[in-house]
Amino acid sequence: MKHYITAICLLAGSLLFTSCDKSSNGGKSDTSTPKFSIAIHGGAGALAKGSYTAEQEAAFKAKLEEATKLGYEMLSKGDSAADVVVAVIKILEDSPLFNAGKGSVITYNGKIKMDAAIMNGRTLDCGTVNNVQRIKNPITAARMVMDSSKYIMFSSAGAESFAAKNGIEMIDKSYFYTQHQIDRWRKTKDSTDASYIHYVDSMAALQSPIISALPEEGEFGTVGCVVMDKYGNLAAGTSTGGLINKKYNRVGDSPIIGAGTYANNKTCAISCTGTGEDFIKTVAAKTVSDLIEFKGMTLDAATYDMIHVRFKEITGDGGMIAVDKYGNISWQYNSDGMFRARTDQNGKIETYIYAE
Ligand code: ASP
């Protein structure tokens, strides 16, 4: 009897140990290469196939690949999810191809006003900036808010003075203007106010030659990155110029935690792109996390539910990228395409613009 009880205790102990061990590494089996994964987007709403030239498509894919490769290299050497999100988004902000940082869209009155957010899934710490005009890489300012402030959301001139005080790189406003966004703005704007046109012309005149990278159509181009690092920690970041012709310091979903950006080690990390108001109305990123946490859905089922079921009810439009606590990646969009790329510890980088 005594032996029987001891055997039961040993069995129970080993089961307990196994289950503790599983929950501490997120349920993943041990492998010699620690698991990590990264996905990025360069905006949903890509034009219908054939609208970009082969060179333009190649340029998009090369930039997505460059950013993902950097993420892979950093994750391989053990960098944290948040560090990777910032470094990868900086590459996309610096590229004139996307609506974030250089290449951002132009507002109603001819300005460029950018938003960015980052969230750390382990601590739920987050930082966001909106309507900034002089911060070269808005994602670095969002990170600074997350790391060095007791607040979460800084706006316009206040965000800029916080960034400048903390050594974040500032740059002349003219740096962000590109010819294709100026051409788009001239077609889209619903005002003939000469002072706005004059302002945009004066910004363009400060650059020579001004960069023109794209056709004028195509509405989106926000950038985002979601990561699970070697240690099982998640992070998400998003950066955008917002919607073209926006007015009244409109703020979209990107810097709204839970709408366009969210990360929680219990569930997943998400970055969204599309019409921001739709993502705010549905609290889209947090809803995906809740579907996983409270309804037990898989990541794929949750992102599908958000973009193809819930968005249908409100005629919402856009897409999202996501990574869950096991490192699974999921992406969904209801537009013609979404610039996107992903890789994991195996290092095979996949880049796509349209449906796979
Ligand atoms: N979601 C962004 C916004 O509404 C725009 C975009 O994704 O292109 O500000």
Side-chain angles (χ1 to χ4, degrees):
M1 182 65 173
K2 213 169 155 191
H3 289 307
Y4 182 63
I5 292 172
T6 315
I8 290 187
C9 286
L10 281 174
L11 183 64
S14 84
L15 282 176
L16 191 65
F17 178 80
T18 315
S19 81
C20 287
D21 192 39
K22 266 195 179 154
S23 64
S24 68
N25 73 358
K28 297 183 293 286
S29 57
D30 278 335
T31 54
S32 47
T33 319
K35 196 172 174 186
F36 60 77
S37 24
I38 173 169
I40 68 174
H41 71 77
L47 304 176
K49 216 168 187 165
S51 316
Y52 293 111
T53 63
E55 294 86 73
Q56 283 163 342
E57 285 188 6
F60 276 119
K61 287 192 165 191
K63 195 45 81 177
L64 292 171
E65 178 146 356
E66 178 192 337
T68 311
K69 187 160 177 277
L70 174 74
Y72 169 78
E73 286 163 2
M74 291 178 72
L75 287 164
S76 305
K77 66 179 171 67
D79 285 343
S80 74
D83 283 350
V84 172
V85 163
V86 172
V88 165
I89 290 187
K90 270 178 84 175
I91 290 192
L92 303 172
E93 286 177 338
D94 289 344
S95 164
L97 294 173
F98 304 101
N99 171 20
K102 185 168 186 70
S104 287
V105 297
I106 301 174
T107 68
Y108 173 75
N109 55 10
K111 306 278 166 51
I112 287 184
K113 298 193 174 186
M114 299 163 288
D115 308 330
I118 186 167
M119 185 161 188
N120 180 333
R122 187 174 62 81
T123 56
L124 301 187
D125 286 338
C126 41
T128 82
V129 294
N130 67 70
N131 281 299
V132 297
Q133 299 184 74
R134 296 183 306 123
I135 298 173
K136 180 163 183 268
N137 294 103
I139 193 69
T140 59
R143 173 78 190 269
M144 185 62 79
V145 176
M146 175 169 87
D147 290 348
S148 311
S149 155
K150 62 177 178 174
Y151 305 111
I152 287 178
M153 190 180 260
F154 287 160
S155 180
S156 40
E160 289 177 357
S161 79
F162 170 82
K165 226 183 203 155
N166 282 284
I168 297 283
E169 185 176 358
M170 309 298 284
I171 200 159
D172 191 82
K173 291 174 185 171
S174 62
Y175 159 81
F176 299 102
Y177 286 75
T178 51
Q179 190 61 52
H180 66 275
Q181 293 295 8
I182 294 174
D183 296 341
R184 285 185 66 204
W185 177 75
R186 281 181 180 277
K187 283 195 178 163
T188 318
K189 72 182 176 55
D190 50 12
S191 153
T192 50
D193 192 317
S195 71
Y196 301 157
I197 296 167
H198 179 72
Y199 180 82
V200 170
D201 287 345
S202 71
M203 288 291 125
L206 291 171
Q207 289 183 59
S208 98
I210 191 160
I211 291 179
S212 180
L214 291 172
E216 292 155 31
E217 305 80 14
E219 243 185 276
F220 307 125
T222 292
V223 304
C225 177
V226 294
V227 170
M228 184 191 80
D229 67 21
K230 271 188 177 180
Y231 319 103
N233 291 321
L234 304 180
T238 313
S239 181
T240 188
L243 296 185
I244 192 167
N245 208 31
K246 63 186 182 180
K247 299 177 177 132
Y248 307 120
N249 280 348
R250 173 261 187 196
V251 179
D253 61 313
S254 311
I256 307 290
I257 295 299
T261 308
Y262 189 71
N264 185 337
N265 271 14
K266 275 192 196 167
T267 53
C268 60
I270 313 254
S271 170
C272 304
T273 170
T275 305
E277 286 66 17
D278 298 334
F279 289 86
I280 295 173
K281 286 200 257 210
T282 53
V283 200
K286 177 67 161 63
T287 297
V288 169
S289 171
D290 287 351
L291 290 173
I292 295 172
E293 185 173 0
F294 303 121
K295 277 194 134 184
M297 283 191 182
T298 62
L299 183 73
D300 263 338
T303 55
Y304 184 91
D305 190 89
M306 189 65 238
I307 296 298
H308 300 291
V309 180
R310 286 162 201 259
F311 253 33
K312 218 173 192 169
E313 290 162 9
I314 60 151
T315 8
D317 106 268
M320 56 172 51
I321 55 169
V323 61
D324 70 10
K325 63 178 177 179
Y326 306 112
N328 298 312
I329 286 172
S330 177
W331 46 37
Q332 308 282 348
Y333 54 90
N334 61 12
S335 42
D336 283 333
M338 180 167 78
F339 298 100
R340 61 203 189 279
R342 68 178 168 207
T343 194
D344 59 19
Q345 70 282 356
N346 298 315
K348 182 173 170 269
I349 297 176
E350 299 167 56
T351 58
Y352 304 98
I353 301 178
Y354 310 106
E356 288 158 47

